[in-house]
Amino acid sequence: MGGLVAAALPMRSTASVGFDPASRVFRLDGEGVTYAFGIDSAGQVQSLHWGGPLALDDQLAPAPKPSDYSGFDRANSVTPLEFVAFGGGLVTEPSLKVAFPSGVRDLVLKYLDHTLTSEGITLRMKDISTEVYVELRYSMDKATGLLARSAVVDNRTKAWLRVDQMAAATLNLPFGEDYEVNYLTGRWAAEWTLQKRPLEAGATVLESRLGMTGSQNNPWLAIGRAGLTDEDNGPVWFGALAWSGAWRITVEKDIVGHPRITAGYNPFDFAYRLKPGERLETPVFYAGFSHDGMGGASRRMHRFQRSVILPGAPEPKLRPVLYNSWEATEFAVNEVGQIALAEKAATLGVERFVMDDGWFGKRNNDHAGLGDWTVNPEKFPNGLEALISRVRGLGMEFGLWVEPEMVNPDSQLYRAHPDWVINFKGRPRTEGRNQLVLNLARSDVRDYVLKSLDLLLRDNDIAFLKWDHNRSWSEPGWPERAPEDQQKLYVDYTKNLYWILAELRRRHPKLEIESCAGGGGRVDLGIMHLTDQVWPTDNTDPFDRLKMQDGFSHAYMPGVMMAWVTASPNWVNKRATSLEYRFLSAMQGCLGIGDNLNHWGQEDFATAKRLVAEYKSIRQTVQRGDLYRLISPQGGSERSATLTVSETKRQAVLFTFLHSSSTFDATPLIQLQGLDPQARYAVRSLVGAVEADTPKIASGSYWMHHGVRIPLRGDFQAAALVLDVV
Ligand code: GLA
């Protein structure tokens, strides 16, 4: 099962794969991309091309003979290698670093053999003097040109081998002085901040040491060229690591100026001891290239996610409109109160009613109950049955919040099994939100978690779990293991998490899951393969969201990004906004409602009902279409606008927002993108109105080259238009 998540997923249709024995050059060719590497005369595997497509009959020259730059910088540190071990005097970031029982920590890998199939390439390397083997795996998705790379180290020596550092891949970019690295940073309630910095000599390190993906950095990056690359134009090399444990992506520029990316397990506090015959496999690093700027890069990424990564790919199910109880009732959930909310939600056209935290154990606040996944009998005297059957009777699905990897010290579970948490013997157990992390790497803990959720799902008609994870790790020990094996926690925990998710889905094929970690702390391509949607942030302020949603969309598709309409003023900034503004902000992703409906008036219900119905008519486009970020909300911009064009180009949806107008500003013309220039589109406004002289119907060319004017005046204004081919 571990292999299921670590190995590259089967691509929908694989790219052309080739090897030329004369030049010893390998090639993978997908839509708009060629990736090539070759074996040099020293038996090293060198990168030869990652970028725009070459003609299939173009011959790449063999990999050049490697040579030292100086006595300080030997060939292996200044040659663009596909995977390089610490050894032979390497001074750059290693893809692999090991230790032998003898104390030797030198490993020099040389090409051994390869297998080539229509699915991809597996290339084997071997150490020059020991029985240590490494497999490099390559495959490419033809339609998007996304390359999947991973590696396996195989200990065939007669003794143990300790892996101290291991990457899925090293990827080399063409030589250049003008690169800029784009990446995402954040913190709780402020995730998805887009950052950019020049790639200068030295290294840029993006990482999580937290045992989880984290929101401080997200395992995604995109590299453009200053002056050449913008939102719509220019080359972009991008990639993302499919791993939900501690990870690191290092972008280096070596002493001669070669830029390279190394991505994999975070070597910080890492060690994985392999017995003779054991192997360690890395997660997959997915890498892509676009010639159409940052917008083109994210559209490729989004298409790849929906056609390869998501459950149900290439046709993942559309996200239902949901209601969530958290901001309405927090821990004070009970049968009567939830049924009252469900009845109101149903009148709006909500399709899935989700009860959040508070329903289990002694969970009256965040100090108790985690770990005890049984229904609280005071709040729910009839179990969940009465609530669920009412929700089902109202025509909605039922969903439930869980946080299965955690335990409160004040719980039956912890009192029975204080040894089940991650800890160092004899050291304090640092709490986060009054809770400790269960050691999922232990098979008894893994089995307990699976069993409690399985029972819950068997006994109740539950269509959906919101799977939360509200703290990062501390004291990452595994006292039941020998000291030299305790750090296996970093790999085995995440593999077991994936295993549980996969097993639950296997046993309950209709189950859908949301990945949440106190907001957007666990969003990555690894978890996305096993979950249907993600919660990007606890921050539900509709204005703050615009910038976060923009950041998010650089790496991940809006079709998994949940967004709720909640109370005004919002708890985050005490900012008041109209219901329509809140709806339009949330409609940029997957719509949910999280306000206390008991506080709504008739007019609110009417507005919400109308906009939920409108959302359903555009959600295929919003969730599956191609996103164009027309006006960025980054950098203090007063305005922002996004356009999503359906896969068939028959529908497009425009959202535009204004922070505040001043000094009688002119209304800008917004030029659309991605439409069929010949088709004729009728324009219809969902909220707001277009300038009076706007034609009702015009060609794609007109909307793209002339544009549309939407007058917005005031503070926190929003409008949305739909264009349909007539
Ligand atoms: C986390 C989640 C919230 C909510 C609470 C419940 O903070 O991100 O959406 O579920 O937990 O305790």
Side-chain angles (χ1 to χ4, degrees), residues 306-433:
R306 63 181 180 255
S307 59
V308 177
I309 296 286
L310 285 178
E315 295 297 340
K317 275 177 54 196
L318 291 174
R319 297 297 85 223
V321 176
L322 65 71
Y323 178 83
N324 179 290
S325 66
W326 176 244
E327 291 199 17
T329 49
E330 295 203 339
F331 299 98
V333 294
N334 59 46
E335 190 178 294
V336 176
Q338 293 298 301
I339 287 179
L341 285 172
E343 284 168 350
K344 295 198 165 92
T347 66
L348 301 175
V350 165
E351 296 157 310
R352 178 178 281 171
F353 181 85
V354 183
M355 177 162 64
D356 210 281
D357 203 348
W359 59 269
F360 53 91
K362 295 254 177 313
R363 189 73 169 168
N364 297 318
N365 51 50
D366 64 11
H367 286 262
L370 287 176
D372 301 338
W373 299 109
T374 46
V375 183
N376 180 312
E378 281 136 48
K379 297 178 181 178
F380 295 92
N382 305 302
L384 295 177
E385 174 53 29
L387 172 60
I388 295 182
S389 58
R390 184 68 187 124
V391 167
R392 301 292 286 136
L394 289 163
M396 298 183 292
E397 291 178 345
F398 182 75
L400 197 61
W401 180 94
V402 288
E403 195 178 355
E405 300 153 78
M406 300 289 164
V407 66
N408 287 116
D410 185 1
S411 66
Q412 286 178 23
L413 183 68
Y414 190 73
R415 284 185 280 275
H417 299 286
D419 53 327
W420 275 14
V421 299
I422 293 173
N423 74 95
F424 284 132
K425 209 171 175 174
R427 305 291 302 172
R429 300 175 175 197
T430 304
E431 293 176 18
R433 206 194 190 201

Side-chain angles (χ1 to χ4, degrees), residues 188 324 326 331 356-358 363 366 401 403 433 466 468-470 514 516-520 535 537-538 564:
W188 176 75
N324 179 290
W326 176 244
F331 299 98
D356 210 281
D357 203 348
R363 189 73 169 168
D366 64 11
W401 180 94
E403 195 178 355
R433 206 194 190 201
K466 173 176 168 187
D468 213 335
H469 181 101
N470 276 309
E514 173 174 295
C516 171
W535 181 232
T537 173
D538 276 357
W564 307 340

Side-chain angles (χ1 to χ4, degrees), residues 630-684:
L630 301 181
I631 304 174
S632 167
Q634 304 285 340
S637 161
E638 284 296 343
R639 289 170 192 275
S640 66
T642 60
L643 180 81
T644 314
V645 181
S646 68
E647 284 176 286
T648 58
K649 292 186 186 287
R650 295 190 63 80
Q651 187 179 66
V653 180
L654 175 76
F655 293 106
T656 180
F657 301 88
L658 172 75
H659 177 270
S660 53
S661 55
S662 60
T663 59
F664 219 64
D665 291 334
T667 302
L669 260 173
I670 302 176
Q671 271 119 20
L672 310 190
Q673 294 187 38
L675 304 178
D676 173 354
Q678 261 91 52
R680 299 195 59 79
Y681 292 85
V683 67
R684 176 169 77 84

